Amino acid sequence: MSHPNSTPTLTLNDGYQMPQLGFGTFELSDEAVVPAVLKALEVGYRHIDTAKAYHNEAGVGRAVRESGLPREEIFVTTKLWNTDHERAGEALEESLERLGLDYVDLYLIHWPKLGLDKRVEAWAAMEQARAKGLIRSIGLSNFTPQFLSEILKNGSVVPAANQVEYHPTFQQRETVAANAAAGVVTQAWSPLGQAKHLDNAVLGRIARETGRTVAQVVLRWHLQQGRVAIPKTATPARIAENFAVTDFSLTPEQMAAIDALHSGNRLGPDPDLVQSF
């Protein structure tokens, strides 16, 4: 059963398909996440992103079950937290228990913390869990090119994805290039820049030209550049608005104008500087 407005998918390096538009659940409580995910699935999202650190895996799993959709139609991502690098196998099983699922589609190391040996140990445990069928795809989050190269050198499975902060005023082009060179899909968290771009004059002009909202323009920019975008909102109208981005295109000139907005405006922690939370 495909939704009439279903988003395009990207084929990962392990052969699995990932919907290019995901629904983020950061800062949504276990209770609040249930109606939000149900609404997202109702409007057509088939990719839900959570993490142990969000403290809402149980709610996400409940919404997946209550949606009535077949499990195989929903791409579920969760993440290994910083304090669990030495017990990645157990942490995954605890996440699966909270989610109430037999497997997750994607499991990410949330941050490159705690030293190379522990990252490599975590990656090896994730490779083993993947071989057992507890995870379909394994990947990284917030890994700069230096950290990515460590995993490529020391692991036997190439990461399927790397989820990083990416929005019009913070474009990690070196990281995207390193991901692409290794065959790793780039996922954008805070793809809308935490709503800080919604009054940008350039984006406002393009929104008027296309008859769309600024948020829709930015999400379309991500999709056309081959990234996975994971917007987050609990507002039902915005959940639907953010999903309605597959029936228009931006021109090369409009794409270039958004590309030119990069200003190094990082909103989240710098993985190279912040080594503990």
Side-chain angles (χ1 to χ4, degrees):
M1 183 180 78
S2 69
H3 196 273
N5 296 319
S6 58
T7 50
T9 60
L10 297 176
T11 302
L12 303 175
N13 58 28
D14 56 15
Y16 286 108
Q17 299 280 316
M18 176 192 289
Q20 215 179 340
L21 195 59
F23 182 72
T25 63
F26 178 58
E27 292 183 332
L28 293 178
S29 71
D30 217 21
E31 206 170 283
V33 83
V34 177
V37 170
L38 282 169
K39 177 63 178 179
L41 293 170
E42 178 191 320
V43 302
Y45 284 90
R46 292 295 180 265
H47 177 176
I48 309 298
D49 182 276
T50 183
K52 175 185 176 178
Y54 301 170
H55 304 292
N56 61 18
E57 288 173 314
V60 167
R62 182 181 149 198
V64 167
R65 288 189 298 280
E66 288 185 4
S67 73
L69 293 164
R71 167 67 185 94
E72 63 272 15
E73 279 197 18
I74 305 173
F75 190 102
V76 178
T77 299
T78 194
K79 309 180 189 80
L80 176 73
W81 187 237
N82 307 336
T83 51
D84 291 329
H85 283 203
E86 294 170 290
R87 55 184 301 278
E90 295 93 324
L92 168 65
E93 291 186 12
E94 289 161 6
S95 281
L96 288 171
E97 193 171 330
R98 285 188 292 270
L99 285 159
L101 301 176
D102 297 328
Y103 70 93
V104 287
D105 296 273
L106 180 63
Y107 195 52
L108 307 176
I109 298 180
H110 206 152
W111 289 91
K113 302 294 178 192
L114 303 176
L116 171 61
D117 56 334
K118 294 181 182 176
R119 288 194 290 276
V120 170
E121 184 182 341
W123 190 251
M126 288 164 61
E127 290 184 353
Q128 290 169 4
R130 175 179 176 264
K132 290 180 192 169
L134 299 176
I135 314 167
R136 291 268 171 90
S137 302
I138 55 177
L140 309 170
S141 181
N142 301 301
F143 273 56
T144 58
Q146 165 207 336
F147 292 127
L148 171 63
S149 67
E150 292 174 354
I151 296 296
L152 294 171
K153 181 180 174 185
N154 291 284
S156 59
V157 174
V158 175
N162 186 12
Q163 185 179 129
V164 299
E165 179 182 349
Y166 202 106
H167 46 82
T169 58
F170 189 65
Q171 300 172 37
Q172 300 199 60
R173 293 172 186 161
E174 287 182 13
T175 297
V176 170
N179 289 346
V184 178
V185 164
T186 298
Q187 297 182 301
W189 63 258
S190 283
L192 300 174
Q194 297 171 12
K196 291 178 171 60
H197 303 324
L198 299 186
D199 59 354
N200 178 281
V202 172
L203 295 174
R205 172 179 61 76
I206 296 171
R208 289 190 296 276
E209 290 170 356
T210 56
R212 299 291 175 145
T213 66
V214 167
Q216 288 173 324
V217 165
V218 173
L219 291 172
R220 185 67 210 172
W221 169 73
H222 284 292
L223 298 190
Q224 283 185 220
Q225 289 190 337
R227 283 184 297 281
V228 173
I230 306 171
K232 186 221 88 178
T233 177
T235 309
R238 289 210 184 99
I239 291 172
E241 173 192 321
N242 289 347
F243 190 75
V245 292
T246 60
D247 58 347
F248 76 105
S249 295
L250 300 175
T251 66
E253 293 78 15
Q254 290 168 335
M255 294 289 287
I258 301 174
D259 286 343
L261 294 176
H262 174 69
S263 62
N265 175 36
R266 187 193 291 276
L267 300 174
D270 183 341
D272 287 324
L273 300 178
V274 182
Q275 285 301 303
S276 65
F277 286 116

